[in-house]
């Protein structure tokens, strides 16, 4: 949406995509530096923000998506305060409320412990539902406009069950069971499996995994007390 609003420059044809996406990424990097946020997100490309099945869809890893959502909300708030010549329509308003919902959901789960209080579970469920309702409304709006964006996928149905079954009924913090770390490891494991020289291959993968854990213990202070790897 922000790209087509020409926030980072005019987008008149396909040749303009690299310039616009580079400007957007530079903006993202500047925001990260100001807020001192680490992130491994690579430069945006046409394939990063456009997919055949999903249309306009920013593809990123779990943690990177979390950081990107904060940046995008900050950008929306910045535009709201100083729109200039930009036209802020109903879709812009709905996108802002949807992004506020998902960022509030992550913020609440990050600050809460594993076991939630009644108030915490209600706040987390409310934030998650605000995101789902907003996303669904944006899907309807895009469909009516003939734009392939905000596509509904099975993950959103699963997320709805997390809010009801895990947050509301069990009062458990879903952050403690999410799979961001496992998802990030898939690419690493795939690389190990393709390049390991040891035989049997499983032994080589386990050795590389142990080396990685030792490296993480050295780089992350919170893990240094766990010596048995």
């Amino acid at each position: 949406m922000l790209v087509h609003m020409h926030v980072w420059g005019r987008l008149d044809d396909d040749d303009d995509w690299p310039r616009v996406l580079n400007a957007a990424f530079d903006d993202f990097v500047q925001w990260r530096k100001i807020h001192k946020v680490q992130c491994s997100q690579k430069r945006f490309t046409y394939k990063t923000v456009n997919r055949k099945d999903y249309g306009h869809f920013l593809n990123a890893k779990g943690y990177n998506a979390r950081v990107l959502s904060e940046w995008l909300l900050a950008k929306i708030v910045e535009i709201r305060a100083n729109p200039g010549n930009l036209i802020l329509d109903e879709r812009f308003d709905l996108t802002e409320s949807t992004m506020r919902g998902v960022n509030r959901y992550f913020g609440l789960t990050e600050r809460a412990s594993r076991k939630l209080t009644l108030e915490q579970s209600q706040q987390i469920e409310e934030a998650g539902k605000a995101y789902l309702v907003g996303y669904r409304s944006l899907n309807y709006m895009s469909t009516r406009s003939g734009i392939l964006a905000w596509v509904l996928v099975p993950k959103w149905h699963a997320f709805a069950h997390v809010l009801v079954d895990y947050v509301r009924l069990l009062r458990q913090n879903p952050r403690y069971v999410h799979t961001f770390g496992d998802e990030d490891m898939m690419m690493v494991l795939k690389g190990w499996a393709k390049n390991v020289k040891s035989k049997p291959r499983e032994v080589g993968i386990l050795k590389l995994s142990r080396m990685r854990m030792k490296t993480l213990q050295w780089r992350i202070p919170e893990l240094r007390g766990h010596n048995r790897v």
Side-chain angles (χ1 to χ4, degrees), residues 14-30:
D14 290 345
D15 293 336
D16 293 330
W17 276 105
R19 172 181 52 77
V20 171
L21 292 178
N22 278 331
F25 188 80
D26 291 341
D27 188 1
F28 172 59
V29 171
Q30 185 63 27

Side-chain angles (χ1 to χ4, degrees), residues 145-184:
S145 303
I147 301 172
L148 185 59
W150 301 96
V151 176
L152 292 172
V153 294
K155 286 183 178 181
W156 306 154
H157 182 82
F159 183 52
H161 277 286
V162 168
L163 295 176
V164 175
D165 302 338
Y166 204 71
V167 174
R168 183 201 300 175
L169 299 180
L170 297 179
R171 291 191 197 169
Q172 297 290 324
N173 188 345
R175 175 175 168 76
Y176 285 82
V177 293
H178 69 48
T179 59
F180 285 175
D182 297 329
E183 179 183 344
D184 186 57

Side-chain angles (χ1 to χ4, degrees), residues 194-209:
K194 290 173 62 176
N195 299 305
V196 69
K197 305 299 181 182
S198 302
K199 293 185 178 180
R201 180 176 296 176
E202 291 80 0
V203 174
I205 293 174
L206 288 172
K207 288 181 178 178
L208 289 171
S209 179

Side-chain angles (χ1 to χ4, degrees), residues 101 104 121-131 163:
R104 177 169 167 75
S121 66
Q122 290 174 339
Q123 290 176 341
I124 291 172
E125 182 183 2
E126 179 183 351
K129 283 187 174 180
Y131 167 65
L163 295 176

Side-chain angles (χ1 to χ4, degrees), residues 72-208:
L72 288 171
L73 177 59
K75 194 66 183 179
I76 289 172
V77 172
E78 177 187 322
I79 294 171
R80 169 78 66 190
N82 185 23
N85 295 324
L86 299 176
I87 300 175
L88 310 185
D89 57 8
E90 181 186 1
R91 185 176 59 155
F92 186 90
D93 298 337
L94 192 53
T95 300
E96 180 179 2
S97 62
T98 303
M99 295 302 295
R100 285 188 184 279
V102 70
N103 283 303
R104 177 169 167 75
Y105 168 84
F106 279 117
L108 290 169
T109 56
E110 287 166 0
R111 292 190 294 270
S113 60
R114 180 184 291 270
K115 183 65 176 177
L116 302 174
T117 65
L118 176 60
E119 181 181 7
Q120 287 174 326
S121 66
Q122 290 174 339
Q123 290 176 341
I124 291 172
E125 182 183 2
E126 179 183 351
K129 283 187 174 180
Y131 167 65
L132 288 177
V133 170
Y135 193 102
R136 183 179 61 182
S137 299
L138 285 164
N139 169 264
Y140 292 161
M141 190 178 296
S142 299
T143 302
R144 291 195 300 269
S145 303
I147 301 172
L148 185 59
W150 301 96
V151 176
L152 292 172
V153 294
K155 286 183 178 181
W156 306 154
H157 182 82
F159 183 52
H161 277 286
V162 168
L163 295 176
V164 175
D165 302 338
Y166 204 71
V167 174
R168 183 201 300 175
L169 299 180
L170 297 179
R171 291 191 197 169
Q172 297 290 324
N173 188 345
R175 175 175 168 76
Y176 285 82
V177 293
H178 69 48
T179 59
F180 285 175
D182 297 329
E183 179 183 344
D184 186 57
M185 276 298 295
M186 290 300 101
M187 185 65 71
V188 176
L189 286 173
K190 182 178 179 181
W192 290 348
K194 290 173 62 176
N195 299 305
V196 69
K197 305 299 181 182
S198 302
K199 293 185 178 180
R201 180 176 296 176
E202 291 80 0
V203 174
I205 293 174
L206 288 172
K207 288 181 178 178
L208 289 171

